[in-house]
Amino acid sequence: MCDRVAMQGPPDHAAAPPGAPHRGHPPPARLSLLRCLGVASGPAAALAIALVPSGLHAVPGYGHRPAYAAAVAAWMALWWLFEVLPVALTACLPLVLFPLLGVFGRGLAGDAARAAAPFVDAYIFLFLGGMAIGAAMEQWSLHRRVALHIMRAVGTDPKRLLLGMLVATSSISLWISNTATAVMMVPIGLALLAQLESAAGGRRLTHYGTAIMLAVAYASNVGGIGTKIGTGTNSIFCGFLADKLGHDLGFLRYMAIALPFVVLFVPLLWLALWRVGKRDGLGPGRARDALDRELAAMGPMSRGEKTVAAIFAAASALWILGDPLRAALAPPLQDALRGMGAAAGFKVQGKHYEATVAVLAALGLLALRALSLASVRRMPWGTLALLGGSFAMAAGIEGGGLSAWMAAKLAIVAEAPLLAQLGLASAGTIALSALASNTATVNVALNVLPQDLGVLFAATIAASCDFMLPAGTPPNAIVFGSGYVRLPVMIRTGFLLNVAAAALITVYVYGYARHLIGG
């Protein structure tokens, strides 16, 4: 669902390592040169863009507003890149800077309202409901039970077990955050490795262990591509299309466009990781015993699990059937809203329907006590601010006239063959996502690339496809704690997968996705 924003530090009351200073009273220390540069980079770039004469100050009909929108966007992008503040706090900059700079040209009050509106967009509530469903699954360990059953069904021969780990992890990541998925699957993988190592006479399975742990990281990232709520980048993309391009993607249609990519890429992950894992020369193992023990320890499904499963199934069915149901419900609902004084131009879109389903599912979980307040407090609330800030930045780029200036400058790129555009968007976004968070990457990509739906979708997929570096996404970093993954192996394997991902995205979008998405 989301990326780096979920990587929070321990709470203040958490035990600190021996010798570590108390979090509440940090000792005075000099900021590193890199951090100082990061802190200064945002305001410095913003001042330079806003004050230095350039074509941004002379866009017909907009005055200085394109330069001011570009200044805020550059400030946000640099602070996201250097992680100066938590990404959610950086996302709130438009709330202050857009009204002060008059980016929308509506006066202080009008600009403040326009900057705040994206923070209550329907996609925010859709993602909120998705987070609540994911939190309920985690609370009752329903996702763990599903993963174990998938792995038993795929098979427990080492080669098939690796595939089972990929399938189970990616399936869970369709519905809950990639970070939570990785945290849940790593202990399962370690338990399976312990069983296999015991069957191998206590020999440490270095290569196969690396493959299993990388399977958790990579499938956690790739799986989230398949649904609108799978990762924050998908919600940003859908919100961008709806608000800026007037193109509404329903839940089922998005799955039809994106889920086949997950199905195609998982076998590529399997082949690449089996090349690493097979070096241990494993024969038939006893991993099934470990899976059976894990399931036996869980016992029969509890009432809470059954409640979460039922609400999740109902919400999924309503999302999938959204287009015909919305077509039937929208006219009377719009009439009722107009009778209550709603704006005459208001139209019930797919995101309104889907958000309503998500919020009702969350309320149902709370009402039936299948979601505790403690689980609600642990939800990554900063993700909502991050999404709101992403939508606000896009609104400022559009409303401030920066998009018109960029479209003129990128006309040459837009005139290139579509296949070349897709290749550049895919490779460039994957490279950028190795350095910046996925959400920061997709924010930059959506606002600078040619406004072709296929090209934008290619960049959105690519933002979830960095496999080389631990800093690329939280799952990549989490698996390093297992003790099995070595950086050189991850870099070599990840580089090949990055190249494969860029190639597959290009061909996939050109030959399939763009025809469904309408590009």
Side-chain angles (χ1 to χ4, degrees), residues 22-81:
H22 191 276
R23 285 174 56 96
H25 305 281
R30 292 182 179 178
L31 292 173
S32 69
L33 177 61
L34 180 61
R35 183 165 180 80
C36 287
L37 290 174
V39 171
S41 64
L47 284 172
I49 294 170
L51 300 179
V52 174
S54 70
L56 287 170
H57 294 269
V59 179
Y62 290 98
H64 299 289
R65 288 159 51 201
Y68 297 153
V72 177
W75 188 338
M76 294 173 70
L78 287 167
W79 273 16
W80 273 331
L81 177 62

Side-chain angles (χ1 to χ4, degrees), residues 159-220:
K159 188 175 183 180
R160 294 172 66 87
L161 183 64
L162 179 61
L163 176 61
M165 180 65 74
L166 287 164
V167 172
T169 305
S170 58
S171 298
I172 297 300
S173 189
L174 290 170
W175 307 104
I176 69 174
S177 77
N178 56 5
T179 304
T181 301
V183 168
M184 183 268 292
M185 292 300 295
V186 164
I188 296 177
L190 291 174
L192 295 173
L193 288 170
Q195 184 70 18
L196 290 171
E197 289 174 344
S198 176
R203 174 169 61 98
R204 184 172 174 82
L205 303 177
T206 303
H207 300 293
Y208 191 74
T210 298
I212 287 289
M213 290 297 106
L214 289 180
V216 170
Y218 295 166
S220 295

Side-chain angles (χ1 to χ4, degrees), residues 407-452:
K409 297 299 180 183
L410 292 171
I412 296 176
V413 177
E415 291 171 1
L418 180 58
L419 199 61
Q421 293 184 45
L422 293 171
L424 288 171
S426 302
T429 305
I430 289 173
L432 182 57
S433 69
L435 304 174
S437 70
N438 296 356
T439 46
T441 298
V442 82
N443 277 321
V444 172
L446 293 178
N447 287 290
V448 303
L449 287 170
Q451 300 299 286
D452 176 272

Side-chain angles (χ1 to χ4, degrees), residues 244-502:
K244 185 172 180 180
L245 303 181
H247 192 84
D248 197 20
L249 275 183
F251 199 93
L252 180 59
R253 190 176 178 193
Y254 181 88
M255 286 187 69
I257 296 167
L259 187 57
F261 176 83
V262 179
V263 175
L264 289 173
F265 200 73
V266 164
L268 294 181
L269 292 175
W270 183 34
L271 292 174
L273 294 177
W274 180 242
R275 289 179 68 252
V276 176
K278 69 180 181 182
R279 297 173 188 171
D280 280 324
L282 283 173
R286 293 165 53 193
R288 188 178 185 87
D289 295 342
L291 292 174
D292 290 341
R293 282 201 303 273
E294 294 280 340
L295 282 170
M298 293 190 73
M301 284 188 71
S302 65
R303 180 180 177 183
E305 281 184 272
K306 293 177 181 178
T307 301
V308 174
I311 290 179
F312 170 69
S316 299
L318 289 172
W319 280 328
I320 290 171
L321 297 173
D323 287 342
L325 288 176
R326 180 167 61 90
L329 295 174
L333 181 58
Q334 286 181 184
D335 291 341
L337 290 173
R338 279 195 290 268
M340 296 168 61
F346 178 78
K347 181 181 178 182
V348 177
Q349 299 176 325
K351 63 179 183 178
H352 301 126
Y353 168 84
E354 291 163 2
T356 300
V357 171
V359 171
L360 289 176
L363 293 175
L365 290 168
L366 287 168
L368 295 173
R369 298 185 179 180
L371 178 62
S372 68
L373 293 179
S375 294
V376 170
R377 285 192 294 269
R378 287 194 296 269
M379 286 164 50
W381 290 96
T383 304
L384 303 181
L386 174 60
L387 293 177
S390 303
F391 297 156
M393 184 174 76
I397 289 172
E398 174 70 19
L402 178 58
S403 60
W405 180 87
M406 289 192 301
K409 297 299 180 183
L410 292 171
I412 296 176
V413 177
E415 291 171 1
L418 180 58
L419 199 61
Q421 293 184 45
L422 293 171
L424 288 171
S426 302
T429 305
I430 289 173
L432 182 57
S433 69
L435 304 174
S437 70
N438 296 356
T439 46
T441 298
V442 82
N443 277 321
V444 172
L446 293 178
N447 287 290
V448 303
L449 287 170
Q451 300 299 286
D452 176 272
L453 300 183
V455 173
L456 298 179
F457 181 66
T460 302
I461 295 180
S464 296
C465 290
D466 172 57
F467 307 106
M468 277 185 62
L469 299 175
T473 61
N476 290 7
I478 287 168
V479 299
F480 268 80
S482 67
Y484 281 94
V485 179
R486 294 175 57 244
L487 185 57
V489 177
M490 186 177 198
I491 290 176
R492 287 196 302 270
T493 306
F495 175 76
L496 293 175
L497 286 171
N498 281 3
V499 173

